[in-house]
Each structure stands twice: as structure tokens, then as C-alpha cells.
Amino acid sequence: MKSEKDVVIEIDDEINAKYEAGNILRKHPKETVLLSNIKGYDIPVVSGICNTREKIANSINCDVNEITEKIIEATENPIKVSNFKNLDEYVSIKADLSKLPILTHYKRDGGAYITAGVVIAKDPETGVQNASIHRMLVIGNKKLAIRLVPRNLFTYYKKAEKIGKDLEIAIAIGMDPAILLASTTSISIDEDEMEVANAFKNGELELVECEESDLKVPDADIIIEGKISVKEKVKEGPFVDLTDTYDVIRDQPVINLSTMHIKKENPMYHAILPAGFEHKLLQGLPQEPRIFKAIKNMLPTVKNVVLTEGGCCWLHAVVSINKQTQGDAKNVIMAALSAHPSLKHVVIVDEDINIFDPQDVEYAIATRVKGDDDIIIIPKARGSSLDPVALPDGTTTKIGVDATKSLGEENKFERVSLSE
């Protein structure tokens, strides 16, 4: 029997990169899809390589319930990269985005978007390298608009802006899922995501040395070199975000591209469907270790954390604990909401509840929650910019649910089907 990671749906019919490809990907939300015949292009499109927890777990050699532990281990024990290679495996040409099957996913999109591009850059002051995924809107054959949020790359950009020098970058598309996952992890600005990737790869990661800069990039099917302009900005958007709703249009920096390197053998263009499970998991799942560590500092008997798919892997969490005292769950609620400010609703459950099973979580809520005692409501709290009901000032109402058994009354909550 084939495992989930081995199953690929290959579609040979001629498919248009504008809208049609996106429509097909939406019909296969949890499958890996290969569109081998994109109209007008020689390079096929692949999507869904990270759209289930099982695929992500397979890429880092662990079980689904061990993903958080594995990410924490890699981020706390990064391994310096010592293996490098040149661009001999690539064909290098002048940058021309018209040669790539970049998809337009939805009818109101601002245009065609690169959605699985890992941007590599260096801190202009310290030289520390950063890797992160950003959406990039095609605005010309050699130009992109990049969405920057206040994280590491944004900080590098502001430093470059201050000294008046464009920021050199490389964009890597189509790579090992473990490396893609590493680029989404939450680590300090003075740490390198590729060293986390190297920990996932047991010290065997190999990076490609760029031609026009001293950037070291993941071994990807497509590598594009360029610079983020510190002076030029354009309107970016609309774009469908995690919540399956359109994000607002903003002025964002322009990337001017120079050179494109494409693998000589069997290159594929990786497309992440906006608001699909691959988008949600890659953005949300790496936040789970941060929540877990914050709770563990307060309650060492925390067992696991999941940002649920129904909550867009961003707004809803379920936390499993081994409850020690009657107030533990409420403290965990506050710790979780503080650790991930975008979190809107959090449910705390006992160890006998499978946090990856929505039906089991609902069972805990149904049988272990007394509303006036077990539900905490926090109005006017800072929320997520992605929350459609958040107020204009960025605040929302947060809810914590204690769905744990009352201590001293465990017999009342015995699950007979599990115990017999």
C-alpha cells in the first residue's frame, strides 16, 4: 500500500495558469498535485507537498504528535552548514518571470503571485542570513512587489533603507519540505533558519552559492537573484489570506530581478494555494512550539499544542495538559493567548482527548464545560489583522475554554469505551 507521501495526482491535460490551475488545486485540498502541462510553459507546477501534518512529519522523520518536539529540538540545537556547491546544476539566464508558470489563483487577485518563494537575505549590519516565505506579486517580467510584515526581513529592509542601499536577496522556489518548514520557524533575528534546516537534515544540508552576492541558498529548482528597492513602492494586493478572505491593498517594496537559475534536470514550480491547507500549516504550525514553550515555563506537565485547521491554523488552539491543580487550565489559557497574540479562541483539554481530532475536542467541550465557571471572555484584546471581525483599532474579543475534568471527580468523567 502506498503511503500518503507517495500519492501524487498527475494531470496531463493542458491547464491555464490563470484561474484554471487554482480551481484544480482547490478540488484536491489534501493531495499532492502535479500539473504537468501548463499552457505556454515548459515547467510543470507542483502543489500540496506540505498540506497535511503527516507529510510534514514524514519530511522531518517523526510522528504527527512529535512535530512540535522536533521543531523545538532543531531550533534549540541548530547545526552550522558546512556543505556548499556552485550553480553547475543550473541554467543561468537573465531574469524573465514570463518563463515561469506563476499562477493567478482567484478572480479578484491583484495579479499572478509567487506563493512558495523563500526569500534569502543578509542583515546589512551583522551579516546574519535570514530565510522566510513571502507572497510576491508579479508587476513585470523583472519586477515583483513583496509583502513585508514586521519580522526579520522587514528589519533588514529598514536597515538597508536607513543607509540608502538596496537589499540583495535570492528567491528559492521548489525545495525539500523540511527546508521549507525550517524557513517558517520562529527564531531570533541573530540566528539562521538554514542551520535549523541542517538540524532537520542531520547535518547533511547542502547550500548553493549565488553568483551575484555571497548569499547561500537552499538547493531549489528555481533560484532568482535581485534586490529589494529601498525607494520604489507600489500597490500590492488584493490577496486571499489564511482566513479565505481578501487582505487589504498596501504600498509595498519592489524587487528588481537580475538573474534566474533553473535546474537542468526536471525543474518544477511549487505553488502554494492561498488559504489552502499548505498555506495554513506552513504559516501556523511553526507557532505551536512557541506557544508550547511559553506554557511549559508555567506548567511543566503540558503535553501538546495544536493550531487547528478549522481555525485557519492561526486563530484557534487546543492545548493538552496533565492537570495538577484546579486553576491550571485557566493559567494555560492566559499563557497561550499571550504567546501567540493572534490567537482568538483556545480550548484546554486533558490527556485522554486527541487534540488532532475535532470530534474528540468537541466531546470534551460538551461533557466537561460549565459555561459560567469554565469560559473566560477577554474583550478589547489585541488580535489578528486577519480576523474579519476585529475592530479598526486591531482589537477583538478572546475566549478561553477550560474543558478539563474537575479534580477529585475524575470518576464522573470516565470514558468507558476507552477504559474497557
Side-chain angles (χ1 to χ4, degrees):
M1 180 182 291
K2 286 187 175 182
S3 67
E4 178 192 56
K5 66 178 179 178
D6 297 322
V7 177
V8 177
I9 295 175
E10 183 171 358
I11 297 175
D12 297 324
D13 297 342
E14 186 178 74
I15 303 297
N16 199 305
K18 189 171 184 178
Y19 307 141
E20 189 177 7
N23 287 339
I24 291 172
L25 298 182
R26 286 193 289 278
K27 293 176 182 177
H28 302 281
K30 292 198 173 184
E31 289 84 19
T32 300
V33 178
L34 177 62
L35 305 176
S36 57
N37 186 9
I38 299 293
K39 185 177 181 180
Y41 299 96
D42 297 326
I43 300 174
V45 170
V46 66
S47 186
I49 63 173
C50 294
N51 60 5
T52 69
R53 287 179 182 268
E54 288 76 15
K55 292 175 188 176
I56 292 172
N58 284 332
S59 76
I60 56 176
N61 299 309
C62 69
D63 293 330
V64 167
N65 60 1
E66 298 171 331
I67 293 175
T68 293
E69 180 183 341
K70 191 82 171 184
I71 293 175
I72 291 174
E73 180 183 352
T75 54
E76 292 183 348
N77 300 280
I79 301 174
K80 285 193 175 297
V81 180
S82 57
N83 301 317
F84 303 96
K85 64 181 179 179
N86 57 28
L87 288 157
D88 286 349
E89 298 175 10
Y90 294 81
V91 174
S92 298
I93 60 174
K94 289 184 179 180
D96 184 359
L97 296 176
S98 69
K99 295 184 180 300
L100 302 180
I102 303 172
L103 306 186
T104 305
H105 305 89
Y106 300 96
K107 291 186 177 179
R108 286 173 48 203
D109 284 359
Y113 266 94
I114 294 175
T115 52
V118 173
V119 179
I120 313 294
K122 280 192 174 182
D123 186 318
E125 294 177 356
T126 68
V128 173
Q129 188 168 281
N130 172 258
S132 49
I133 298 179
H134 296 264
R135 71 187 195 221
M136 288 169 276
L137 170 65
V138 176
I139 55 174
N141 285 349
K142 295 185 178 182
K143 284 181 178 286
L144 295 163
I146 182 171
R147 170 69 173 125
L148 292 182
V149 296
R151 298 193 185 108
N152 293 3
L153 184 60
F154 178 81
T155 302
Y156 293 2
Y157 168 76
K158 297 304 286 186
K159 288 181 179 182
E161 189 178 47
K162 189 174 181 179
I163 62 177
K165 185 178 179 181
D166 291 350
L167 184 65
E168 289 185 328
I169 66 162
I171 303 166
I173 305 171
M175 67 196 73
D176 185 314
I179 302 172
L180 197 63
L181 176 66
S183 71
T184 68
T185 54
S186 295
I187 58 176
S188 170
I189 196 168
D190 58 359
E191 296 175 312
D192 185 347
E193 286 82 4
M194 289 303 98
E195 294 181 3
V196 176
N198 201 22
F200 285 149
K201 305 302 288 184
N202 298 314
E204 297 177 358
L205 179 69
E206 194 171 38
L207 297 180
V208 178
E209 298 179 307
C210 287
E211 286 184 342
E212 299 175 6
S213 66
D214 60 351
L215 295 171
K216 312 291 192 298
V217 307
D219 186 5
D221 284 10
I222 300 162
I223 298 171
I224 312 172
E225 297 189 66
K227 295 180 180 181
I228 301 180
S229 172
V230 296
K231 294 182 179 179
E232 194 177 358
K233 290 187 177 181
V234 295
K235 299 292 183 185
E236 183 273 321
F239 181 82
V240 177
D241 223 315
L242 286 180
T243 50
D244 202 15
T245 56
Y246 272 106
D247 197 5
V248 300
I249 298 173
R250 304 175 179 84
D251 288 330
Q252 293 290 282
V254 168
I255 303 175
N256 292 300
L257 305 173
S258 54
T259 308
M260 202 156 67
H261 313 284
I262 302 174
K263 274 278 182 74
K264 293 176 182 177
E265 294 188 12
N266 304 317
M268 288 189 283
Y269 175 83
H270 180 202
I272 293 175
L273 179 68
F277 289 119
E278 193 165 28
H279 182 189
K280 292 173 182 176
L281 285 168
L282 283 173
Q283 184 163 334
L285 184 148
Q287 302 305 314
E288 294 169 0
R290 186 170 70 174
I291 299 170
F292 181 88
K293 289 196 290 186
I295 295 170
K296 193 173 182 66
N297 286 336
M298 183 269 301
L299 184 68
T301 53
V302 59
K303 295 303 177 181
N304 213 340
V305 174
V306 62
L307 287 163
T308 68
E309 294 173 3
C312 308
C313 293
W314 200 249
L315 301 176
H316 284 185
V318 182
V319 182
S320 171
I321 66 171
N322 177 1
K323 188 172 172 181
Q324 304 293 296
T325 66
Q326 193 57 39
D328 282 347
K330 292 187 173 58
N331 284 348
V332 170
I333 287 170
M334 293 183 285
L337 292 174
S338 297
H340 180 45
S342 293
L343 196 56
K344 185 176 176 182
H345 303 145
V346 58
V347 179
I348 317 302
V349 298
D350 299 294
E351 293 176 82
D352 65 323
I353 300 297
N354 179 5
I355 63 174
F356 299 102
D357 181 353
Q359 182 171 311
D360 221 27
V361 174
E362 186 178 354
Y363 169 83
I365 295 172
T367 61
R368 300 175 187 182
V369 173
K370 183 171 177 288
D372 56 342
D373 290 332
D374 298 322
I375 296 177
I376 298 174
I377 299 175
I378 307 170
K380 303 294 184 183
R382 174 190 157 198
S384 171
S385 61
L386 301 180
D387 180 4
V389 301
L391 297 176
D393 63 2
T395 63
T396 191
T397 299
K398 300 195 174 190
I399 296 174
V401 179
D402 176 0
T404 61
K405 296 176 282 190
S406 300
L407 292 180
E409 299 181 298
E410 288 83 358
N411 288 341
K412 285 174 56 179
F413 302 98
E414 179 188 2
R415 300 178 70 177
V416 177
S417 62
L418 298 183
S419 61
E420 293 191 0

